[in-house]
Amino acid sequence: MCGIVGYIGKADAASFLINGLRRLEYRGDDSAGLAVMEDGRIAVAKSPGKVSTLSDRARAEWPADRFERATTGIAHTRWATHGPPTEVNAHPHLDRSGAIALVHNGIIENYRGLRARLEAKGHLFLSETDTEVLAHLIGDCDKGDVFQAVCHALHQVEGTFGIAVLTAREPGKIIAARRGSPIVIGVGEGETIVASDASAILAHTQRVIYLDDNDIAIVSADSVDIRDLNNVPVIREIAELGIDAAAAEKDGYEHFMLKEIHEQPHSLANAIRGRLDFNLGSAVLSGMGTSARELAELGRVVLVGCGTSLHAGLVGEYAFEDLADLHAEVQQAAEFRYRNPILGSRDLVVAISQSGETADTLAAVREARQKGAFVMSLCNVVGSTIARETGRGVYLHAGPEISVASTKAFTCQVAVLLMMALKLGRGRRFCRDEGIRLAREIERIPQFVEEVIRLDEPIAAIAESYAMTEHAFFIGRGPMFPVALEGALKVKEISYIHAEGYHAAELKHGPIALLEKDTPVIAIACDIPGKDKTLGNIEECRARGARILGLITDGDQEAAAHMDDAIAIPRCHPLVATIPAAVALQLFAYHLARHRGCEIDQPRNLAKSVTVE
Ligand code: M6R
């Protein structure tokens, strides 16, 4: 909900920054500000309200030639957390010398203690924000080298940050850093852009560098020097955004949903990047904010969410039990909030929400906190209410998801849950070598998904032959059971086909009565434990005339022999395989809906974010 843009180059920085802020406005904001470097001094303009108000104010109050002469600056759209959306609380914030300006996304959790310490040293604060405390802390640490001062300050803060820092003492630089809040650097010709979201960059350059957690970058117009917080250089490759800015927002895809399905190798790489530790065979998820001891003492994990996020939680349940030997359960958030859940301080409640705004999930978070559980969130939208209220958790970094039908958020949710289970599992159950093996499999998820996306055309052809059905059943076992539920949800919400997901063993306890000749049964029969039983259930359906579309493991001729049609996904760890399997079903659902001529991105009766009970 907050946005950062920084610019250093040859253009009019103020105009550039204002345009960049406009591209971030979709996040929602309540105030904005910018700081530019002019003649070795920092000039600041801030305003409550929209970016247009800030623009009007800067143009009215600043000398006109500032727009021509200033070529370096930082800017921010704020969605108020610490203090109301007033001019004084808007970013950028200055240190006490006025020579350092800072914009910040995230929350400095220990800002009260830091503020008290700085006040005792004579610092005066103008705002109620945590960010101003960080600006002062950097100034307090500055002994002549601002980069070192930023490192020193960041070592002392707890919480999350994506920051951009401007200093009058070194006017040809912006310093950017991140922990838990994204920062992407656009590398242009003689100009460099720092942003919290690639949408502020893509009109200017396709070449970007994604900072990892605890990276700190010294950015000039023609260089990007990245270190860790101990000043050790780190190498981050320049990536191509791969988005054609001219092709409007859909980037040339017919629908956002298809675009978002195809984005998944990239969004998964973002979700995984920097979070696997191949030395320890574990995962690095600093946003969880938990010590090894706290993790070791956990007695139970409760995953709460709604819709697709609930299904991701169901996959997580298998992961926590299998990998971490930890009792895990999933609860629909609306049910959880009213059922008087029994919780204690050894229970970890993980709220899963793409938007971070779902009313029932938010209420579940509040209920869990009230009962003294250890609460964290797994959200996609940075700065969303659930992310802020939980104060700790892991962001998905899937990028904006615009289609109502959730796709890339689901696969990133599962990937992050697997990494959480890996981290917990290493502390509780398995050895380093086992951890490394699993980390290597997780690292390959984007590649596995890429392989499924290459099947887009054959899947479209299969979908066409099922498009006129009125009913469909999805079945699976183990971690593929929730994938079956998710596959059915995708089909019903965008194609309006009546689709139901069942545990493969459950059909014969009732639903099998509905099978008729050619009723589609989409069976997830990948080569994982339980496959033979699923093949048996498939035969029960075939005996009643059902038409079977199987999701099988590539090369599994035995399973293929049971199917009328088959989609093969890459062979991988059974939990990891849930992700490519889900992607295959997303493509199937998408093409079913397309063949039926449905309004795919905005299905009837649905909203992207459900903020009412
Ligand atoms: O933003 P959330 O993840 O909390 O949203 C939860 C559900 O509303 C959402 O997943 C919904 O089920 C999707 N439209 C399904 O594609």
Side-chain angles (χ1 to χ4, degrees):
M1 286 180 173
C2 298
I4 287 174
V5 196
Y7 177 80
I8 183 162
K10 51 204 174 200
D12 153 8
S15 300
F16 186 103
L17 293 170
I18 288 166
N19 286 336
L21 291 184
R22 286 202 174 103
R23 291 177 195 281
L24 299 179
E25 266 187 319
Y26 75 94
R27 289 162 168 264
D29 55 0
D30 46 42
S31 52
L34 77 159
V36 295
M37 187 72 69
E38 187 189 36
D39 299 332
R41 295 176 55 141
I42 292 174
V44 176
K46 304 204 266 189
S47 167
K50 291 277 158 203
V51 174
S52 56
T53 314
L54 171 71
S55 175
D56 292 347
R57 177 172 285 195
R59 287 186 192 283
E61 294 178 1
W62 280 3
D65 66 349
R66 185 169 290 161
F67 284 86
E68 286 149 29
R69 296 185 326 129
T71 57
T72 304
I74 56 176
H76 190 259
T77 55
R78 176 170 184 255
W79 194 88
T81 56
H82 297 71
T86 58
E87 180 177 335
V88 77
N89 285 332
H91 304 200
H93 288 282
L94 300 175
D95 78 322
R96 76 169 157 182
S97 73
I100 294 171
L102 168 76
V103 292
H104 163 230
N105 286 356
I107 293 178
I108 306 301
E109 286 166 6
N110 58 338
Y111 81 102
R112 285 179 197 279
L114 292 169
R115 180 171 170 145
R117 213 176 75 203
L118 290 164
E119 279 172 338
K121 291 172 86 173
H123 288 253
L124 291 175
F125 291 92
L126 304 175
S127 78
E128 297 161 67
T129 65
D130 52 339
T131 302
E132 191 185 12
V133 175
L134 180 54
H136 278 245
L137 184 62
I138 293 169
D140 194 64
C141 294
D142 185 10
K143 307 286 179 263
D145 179 336
V146 177
F147 172 79
Q148 289 288 1
V150 174
C151 288
H152 197 186
L154 294 180
H155 273 296
Q156 297 175 59
V157 302
E158 291 163 17
T160 56
F161 53 79
I163 59 168
V165 180
L166 200 60
T167 165
R169 277 194 283 286
E170 296 167 60
K173 287 180 186 170
I174 293 173
I175 296 170
R178 72 158 271 178
R179 182 189 296 157
S181 199
I183 291 286
V184 54
I185 298 172
V187 182
E189 296 294 328
E191 60 182 6
T192 311
I193 306 153
V194 174
S196 54
D197 183 320
S199 55
I201 293 176
L202 61 91
H204 307 283
T205 180
Q206 291 282 301
R207 303 172 73 224
V208 295
I209 300 170
Y210 294 95
L211 292 194
D212 283 352
D213 273 355
N214 297 311
D215 284 354
I216 174 163
I218 308 161
V219 172
S220 73
D222 46 25
S223 68
V224 179
D225 176 9
I226 306 176
R227 320 256 172 125
D228 68 15
L229 290 184
N230 296 316
N231 203 5
V232 176
V234 292
I235 294 172
R236 304 283 174 236
E237 301 297 331
I238 294 181
E240 285 290 312
L241 268 178
I243 302 172
D244 179 2
E249 291 181 307
K250 288 178 191 158
D251 302 332
Y253 285 94
E254 197 178 341
H255 298 100
F256 280 111
M257 183 179 176
L258 186 63
K259 171 183 170 244
E260 288 159 8
I261 291 172
H262 278 242
E263 270 174 2
Q264 286 174 108
H266 180 68
S267 52
L268 283 158
N270 283 347
I272 294 165
R273 182 179 293 112
R275 287 172 164 171
L276 291 170
D277 182 333
F278 296 105
N279 281 324
L280 287 177
S282 185
V284 185
L285 300 167
S286 52
M288 285 174 72
T290 41
S291 66
R293 187 190 192 94
E294 283 170 321
L295 293 181
E297 285 174 356
L298 286 177
R300 184 171 65 138
V301 179
V302 182
L303 302 129
V304 294
C306 301
T308 289
S309 296
L310 179 73
H311 296 156
L314 286 163
V315 179
E317 182 180 13
Y318 287 91
F320 284 114
E321 291 189 352
D322 281 3
L323 303 176
D325 254 351
L326 195 55
H327 174 66
E329 62 187 65
V330 182
Q331 300 211 15
Q332 206 280 343
E335 185 62 17
F336 176 89
R337 64 184 292 196
Y338 290 119
R339 69 180 294 180
N340 192 18
I342 295 161
L343 293 169
S345 59
R346 291 180 62 234
D347 293 324
L348 169 64
V349 174
V350 182
I352 306 172
S353 173
Q354 187 285 132
S355 63
E357 305 291 347
T358 299
D360 284 321
T361 311
L362 177 58
V365 164
R366 291 175 177 159
E367 178 67 19
R369 291 181 67 184
Q370 176 93 356
K371 294 212 153 122
F374 205 70
V375 185
M376 64 179 64
S377 61
L378 215 160
C379 295
N380 192 37
V381 178
V382 175
S384 58
T385 309
I386 291 172
R388 281 186 292 106
E389 288 214 7
T390 50
R392 63 175 97 211
V394 185
Y395 279 119
L396 301 180
H397 301 325
E401 190 179 68
I402 293 159
S403 170
V404 165
S406 186
T407 53
K408 60 181 181 171
F410 175 79
T411 50
C412 289
Q413 284 164 345
V414 174
V416 170
L417 286 165
L418 293 183
M419 290 188 285
M420 286 174 81
L422 168 65
K423 184 178 169 75
L424 283 159
R426 270 292 281 135
R428 308 169 66 93
R429 180 173 166 256
F430 49 78
C431 66
R432 178 176 173 271
D433 284 353
E434 226 177 308
I436 291 171
R437 271 198 297 280
L438 183 57
R440 294 268 172 237
E441 279 278 288
I442 293 172
E443 188 190 27
R444 292 179 65 203
I445 289 173
Q447 178 194 324
F448 297 139
V449 168
E450 186 79 60
E451 288 176 40
V452 173
I453 285 175
R454 279 193 221 117
L455 302 176
D456 192 355
E457 276 187 32
I459 293 174
I462 292 172
E464 186 171 13
S465 71
Y466 286 83
M468 288 308 126
T469 189
E470 288 308 312
H471 306 277
F473 294 89
F474 286 70
I475 59 170
R477 279 174 184 263
M480 293 301 184
F481 167 47
V483 177
L485 297 178
E486 175 60 10
L489 176 61
K490 287 289 90 75
V491 165
K492 74 182 101 178
E493 71 180 321
I494 61 166
S495 74
Y496 315 140
I497 292 169
H498 171 226
E500 297 298 340
Y502 286 102
H503 190 282
E506 192 62 22
L507 275 189
K508 58 180 163 293
H509 295 285
I512 203 166
L514 294 169
L515 294 188
E516 295 176 347
K517 182 167 170 5
D518 291 334
T519 303
V521 174
I522 294 89
I524 309 176
C526 298
D527 196 7
I528 63 172
K531 179 190 88 169
D532 291 346
K533 304 281 178 206
T534 304
L535 292 180
N537 300 134
I538 288 169
E539 285 311 308
E540 292 157 8
C541 297
R542 283 168 69 92
R544 279 134 189 108
R547 180 177 173 197
I548 312 293
L549 166 59
L551 238 60
I552 62 171
T553 300
D554 200 13
D556 185 351
Q557 296 306 327
E558 184 209 6
H562 292 259
M563 314 299 174
D564 294 295
D565 305 285
I567 301 169
I569 67 160
R571 182 173 291 281
C572 46
H573 185 285
L575 285 162
V576 167
T578 57
I579 292 177
V583 174
L585 295 182
Q586 292 166 0
L587 282 170
F588 178 66
Y590 171 80
H591 288 294
L592 274 184
R594 194 171 59 82
H595 288 303
R596 290 166 70 93
C598 298
E599 177 51 71
I600 291 177
D601 284 330
Q602 274 127 19
R604 68 185 180 208
N605 306 337
L606 297 178
K608 181 65 184 160
S609 184
V610 181
T611 53
V612 291
E613 281 191 52

